[in-house]
């Protein structure tokens, strides 16, 4: 058995009562091929003015988690259980009509591809005004003024002209800025950003991340930043959750993650970060093997077929998310000392990214 | 505020010009016209119209050649009566220009068409083709427009509802029903409708049947009654096709990213569907509808024939049966004209509906 204490994830310093807390969230979809278990017991939380980074490979359940918070996975074929506590209210149980007034107003979301995420046939100003008027009883003129202000705030030049542009008339970066303006115009408490920079080129990516960071500091918005790129986490996150196969497998502060990562899967993600000072640029070590089928999961630890440190117990018993030290939760059967040694070793070889900011 | 200041600075020179008197106004009008003539829309439309004319010339030439190469009967012989003597046939052939080479015949035809808008005379009964077509066009338009309204009113709501409620009873029923309606030939459907509902031969003596057409100016009530069966028969397969098309369009649109965004904004599901979904899903349907309507304006041959409605389609049918070339050529040209014009109009409308479209 691992030598860590058996404190449960909800106790202790990790959280007292955060703005948004997710406990034991399960989301599955009935499909023709079987039940897709997209999220399995996720534990997450985020506070005002801080950023939770969620990182994981494609299909690890990041988007489904976020969309479930928004109440946007309530399909007829979906089963949702667990708790999403937002300011004391459980959003999982909230009826649709009440959820509607939370969406966009209290919790806003932006998406990966701003071109396909904005309606192609409406002007961006119209789309922002609509978002305002959906929640506040204000005149069109007032809403328009606020839309212009929001566009100015996210750094769109001459917003009084741009407000009458169609999405296709803007560049990718400007489009994502417009999306952010639309999401932030109502000053939501939480902004969920689902890979907001993946579709943008590198220089624009950095600008958008800067913008999000600035707005977070200014409005004390809680940010949930979803990405498959640890580089983005290093830039932006205060807390990090590493997701695999619908589970949160490691959770800690950014500093800790980039000094003593304790999960073999996290190490794999770290090895696959491209480094500017890498001796052989271009060649990335990605994690061997493929993400598991979410219909027929491997027994035991879902990562065991790809894990270089796999042990007998990993095939049989699924590791629980347990405290390795205050503020650091890990789901892994490896000995704690062994994990820390390997983690430190990797960081010293590969270089830390936590101090890049 | 700043916007207004900005604009007033920008428009200052023009404001000076509008000081007074008719001349500046004229100048403004002229400038407006010049702007329009220089606009890409205008150039686009002109280009499309020129192309349309070229297409009409090609269509007419093709019809000419086909009729010349594969004559279904000798028109001169048709005209000459029961026991024609060769000399009379030759005389008729000469008077109809049928003894001239085909290119000369075509040239003469086009010359009359362009200079006098003259489509020639029927070989069969010597009536002017243009007059005949113009007499029959309103009848065809009544049939086409009525059916159009019907199929849009039936097809679009059914398509929308079954898209929002997939696999519901209504969805299953209408979608399998629509398959039947799409695959049923119009003349078969027409005959079935007559045998079921016609006052003379129907099982239920409900509605006026074949040959009951009355001009709307004569007796609107009787006109309406006589059109009900033809409208429904003509609309049936269109309605079915539109229901399926709209269903597919709406379903596809509702899975788009921007629909997810609309929901994430906290809009009501009703607004998400009707404002965001339908706006995108139905835009291509406008194109289809315009083209389908224009296709029918050239004559709904089968429906008009089954119900014996004196429209352009019926005229074309009779002309084909009688190997009467000038009415065939005339109706083909009209039909092509409607389709080409509708294409241009629909493309211009589409550019207004979808800002991404550029000329
Ligand atoms: N409506 C749905 N019906 C069935 N399966 C779904 C549905 N939505 C998501 N899934 C499945 O849930 C799993 C998790 O998807 P999710 O989009 O959350 O992954 P992700 O971590 O966001 O990945 P990516 O980095 O590719 O965005 C995937 O296997 C996906 O196919
Ligand atoms: Mg995703």
């Amino acid at each position: 058995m691992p030598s860590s204490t058996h404190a449960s994830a909800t106790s202790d310093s990790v959280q007292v009562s955060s703005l948004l807390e997710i406990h034991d969230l399960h989301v599955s979809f009935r499909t023709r091929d079987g039940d897709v278990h997209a999220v399995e017991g996720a534990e997450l939380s985020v506070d005002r003015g801080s950023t939770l980074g969620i990182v994981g490979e494609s299909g690890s359940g990041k988007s489904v988690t976020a969309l479930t918070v928004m109440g946007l996975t309530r399909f007829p074929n979906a089963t949702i259980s667990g708790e999403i506590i937002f300011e004391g209210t459980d959003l999982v149980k909230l009826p649709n009509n009440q959820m509607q007034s939370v969406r966009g107003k209290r919790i806003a979301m932006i998406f990966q591809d701003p071109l396909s995420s904005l309606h192609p046939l409406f002007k961006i100003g119209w789309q922002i005004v609509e978002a305002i008027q959906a929640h506040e009883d204000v005149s069109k003129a007032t809403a328009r003024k606020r839309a212009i202000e929001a566009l100015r705030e996210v750094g769109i030049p001459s917003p009084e002209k741009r407000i009458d542009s169609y999405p296709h008339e803007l560049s990718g970066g400007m489009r994502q800025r417009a999306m952010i303006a639309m999401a932030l115009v109502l000053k939501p408490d939480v902004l969920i950003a689902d890979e907001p920079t993946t579709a943008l080129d590198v220089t624009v990516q950095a600008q958008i991340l800067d913008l999000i960071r600035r707005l977070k500091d200014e409005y004390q918005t809680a940010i949930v930043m979803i990405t498959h790129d640890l580089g983005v986490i290093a830039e932006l996150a205060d807390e990090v959750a590493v997701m695999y196969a619908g589970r949160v497998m490691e959770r800690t502060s950014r500093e800790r993650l980039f000094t003593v990562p304790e999960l073999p899967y996290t190490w794999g993600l770290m090895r696959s970060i491209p480094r500017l000072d890498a001796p052989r640029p271009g060649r990335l070590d990605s994690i061997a093997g493929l993400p598991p089928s979410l219909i027929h999961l491997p027994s035991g630890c879902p990562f065991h077929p790809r894990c270089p440190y796999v042990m007998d117990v990993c095939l049989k018993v699924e590791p629980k998310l347990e405290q390795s030290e205050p503020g650091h939760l890990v789901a892994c059967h490896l000995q704690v000392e062994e994990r820390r040694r390997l983690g430190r070793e990797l960081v010293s070889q590969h270089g830390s990214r936590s101090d890049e900011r | 505020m700043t916007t207004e200041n900005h604009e007033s600075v920008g428009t200052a020179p023009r404001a000076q010009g509008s000081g007074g008197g008719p001349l500046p106004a004229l100048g403004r009008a002229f400038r407006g016209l010049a702007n329009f003539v220089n606009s890409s829309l205008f150039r686009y439309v002109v280009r499309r119209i020129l192309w349309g004319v070229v297409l009409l010339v090609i269509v007419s030439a093709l019809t000419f050649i086909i009729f010349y190469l594969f004559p279904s009967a000798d028109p001169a012989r048709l005209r000459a009566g029961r026991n024609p003597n060769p000399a009379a046939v030759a005389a008729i052939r000469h008077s109809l220009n049928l003894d001239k080479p085909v290119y000369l015949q075509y040239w003469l035809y086009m010359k009359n068409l362009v200079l006098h808008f003259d489509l020639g005379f029927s070989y069969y009964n010597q009536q002017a083709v243009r007059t005949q077509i113009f007499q029959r066009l309103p009848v065809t338009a009544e049939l086409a427009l009525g059916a159009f309204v019907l199929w849009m009113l039936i097809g679009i709501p059914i398509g929308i509802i079954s898209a929002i409620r997939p696999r519901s009873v209504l969805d299953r029923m209408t979608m399998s029903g629509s398959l039947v309606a799409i695959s049923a030939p119009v003349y078969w459907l027409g005959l079935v409708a007559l045998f079921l509902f016609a006052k003379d031969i129907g099982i239920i003596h409900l509605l006026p049947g074949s040959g009951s057409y009355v001009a709307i100016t004569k007796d609107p009530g009787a006109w309406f009654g006589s059109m009900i069966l033809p409208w429904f028969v003509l609309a049936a397969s269109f309605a079915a096709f539109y229901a399926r098309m709209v269903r597919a369009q709406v379903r596809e649109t509702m899975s788009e990213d921007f629909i997810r965004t609309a929901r994430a904004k906290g809009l009501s599901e009703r607004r998400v569907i009707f404002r965001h979904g339908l706006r995108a899903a139905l835009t291509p349907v406008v194109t289809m509808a315009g083209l389908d309507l224009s296709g029918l304006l050239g004559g709904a041959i089968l429906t008009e024939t089954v119900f014996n409605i004196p429209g352009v389609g019926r005229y074309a049918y009779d002309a084909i049966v009688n190997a009467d070339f000038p009415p065939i050529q005339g109706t083909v040209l009209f039909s092509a004209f409607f389709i080409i014009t509708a294409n241009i109009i629909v493309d211009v409308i589409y550019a207004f509906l979808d800002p991404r479209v550029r000329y």
Side-chain angles (χ1 to χ4, degrees), chain B residues 340-356:
Chain B
I340 290 167
T341 311
N343 258 296
I344 299 173
I345 294 173
V346 156
D347 282 353
V348 170
I349 291 178
Y350 200 91
F352 279 103
L353 292 180
D354 189 336
R356 290 167 297 180

Side-chain angles (χ1 to χ4, degrees), chain A residues 67 70 72 75 100-101 103-105 107-109 111-113 115-122 126-128 130-131 134-135 145 148 152 160-161 166 168-169 179 182 186 194, chain B residues 1-4 6 167 253 256-272 274-281 283-284 350 352-358:
Chain A
L67 290 170
M70 299 287 289
L72 293 179
F75 308 119
Q100 195 181 306
S101 54
R103 271 202 288 274
K105 171 80 179 154
I107 307 179
M109 187 161 177
F111 301 96
Q112 175 170 342
D113 182 355
L115 182 58
S116 64
S117 297
L118 287 163
H119 199 298
L121 305 180
F122 296 126
W126 187 93
Q127 299 188 45
I128 299 175
E130 185 191 35
H135 296 284
K145 253 178 221 147
I148 291 175
R152 193 190 316 282
E160 58 283 337
K161 283 206 198 93
Y166 288 97
H168 73 275
E169 295 169 335
M179 268 301 278
M182 189 162 88
L186 291 170
D194 191 352
Chain B
M1 283 285 118
T2 45
T3 332
E4 276 150 28
H6 211 76
R167 270 164 279 164
T253 305
E256 295 274 2
D257 286 353
F258 59 78
I259 293 296
R260 189 184 53 191
T261 307
R263 292 200 175 109
K265 280 156 86 169
L267 304 180
S268 67
E269 189 62 16
R270 172 186 292 261
R271 191 174 169 94
V272 171
F274 286 94
R275 205 66 203 257
H276 290 242
L278 295 192
R279 175 68 175 80
T283 305
Y350 200 91
F352 279 103
L353 292 180
D354 189 336
R356 290 167 297 180
V357 175
R358 285 279 146 264

Side-chain angles (χ1 to χ4, degrees), chain B residues 129-359:
Chain B
V129 171
R130 185 183 65 177
T131 323
Q132 286 290 310
I133 290 181
F134 275 135
Q135 256 172 31
R136 289 153 180 272
L137 261 180
V139 182
T140 289
E142 290 157 16
L143 176 63
L145 281 171
F148 175 78
V149 169
L150 254 185
W151 94 59
M152 297 295 269
L153 285 181
I154 298 171
I156 291 182
I158 287 183
I160 293 171
I161 295 171
S162 45
I164 315 175
R165 305 233 173 291
R167 270 164 279 164
S168 63
V169 178
L170 181 114
D171 180 32
R172 284 167 204 264
M173 263 172 40
T174 52
M175 284 307 122
S176 41
S178 68
L179 269 188
V180 178
I182 287 175
S183 36
V186 171
Y187 53 88
W188 178 82
L189 211 60
L191 291 177
V192 169
L194 284 173
F195 286 131
L196 286 179
F197 302 117
K199 263 184 186 150
D200 41 3
I201 57 168
I203 297 173
I204 315 164
H205 300 286
L206 191 65
L207 292 162
S210 183
S212 59
Y213 180 81
V214 188
I216 187 171
T217 44
K218 253 199 210 136
D219 183 349
W223 167 81
F224 190 79
S226 73
M227 292 301 274
I228 292 179
L229 279 182
W231 278 336
F232 270 98
V233 165
L234 181 55
S237 63
F238 281 107
F241 179 74
Y242 273 64
R244 297 186 77 89
M245 179 178 65
V246 167
R247 179 181 185 269
Q249 283 285 341
V250 172
R251 288 206 61 170
E252 198 189 310
T253 305
M254 291 310 286
S255 65
E256 295 274 2
D257 286 353
F258 59 78
I259 293 296
R260 189 184 53 191
T261 307
R263 292 200 175 109
K265 280 156 86 169
L267 304 180
S268 67
E269 189 62 16
R270 172 186 292 261
R271 191 174 169 94
V272 171
I273 293 170
F274 286 94
R275 205 66 203 257
H276 290 242
L278 295 192
R279 175 68 175 80
L282 294 186
T283 305
V285 176
V286 172
T287 312
M288 292 288 299
L291 296 183
D292 282 337
L293 176 62
S294 75
L296 288 181
L297 285 178
I301 294 190
L302 295 175
T303 311
E304 289 178 22
T305 305
V306 169
F307 289 96
N308 200 6
I309 297 170
V312 181
R314 174 80 218 204
Y315 185 54
Y317 174 82
D318 289 342
I320 293 167
V321 169
N322 295 329
D324 194 357
F325 180 64
I328 295 178
Q329 177 74 299
T331 48
V332 164
L333 276 181
F334 258 90
S335 190
F337 169 78
F338 282 127
I339 291 173
I340 290 167
T341 311
N343 258 296
I344 299 173
I345 294 173
V346 156
D347 282 353
V348 170
I349 291 178
Y350 200 91
F352 279 103
L353 292 180
D354 189 336
R356 290 167 297 180
V357 175
R358 285 279 146 264
Y359 311 111

Side-chain angles (χ1 to χ4, degrees), chain A residues 62-63 194-195:
Chain A
K62 307 181 296 290
S63 296
D194 191 352
E195 310 203 24

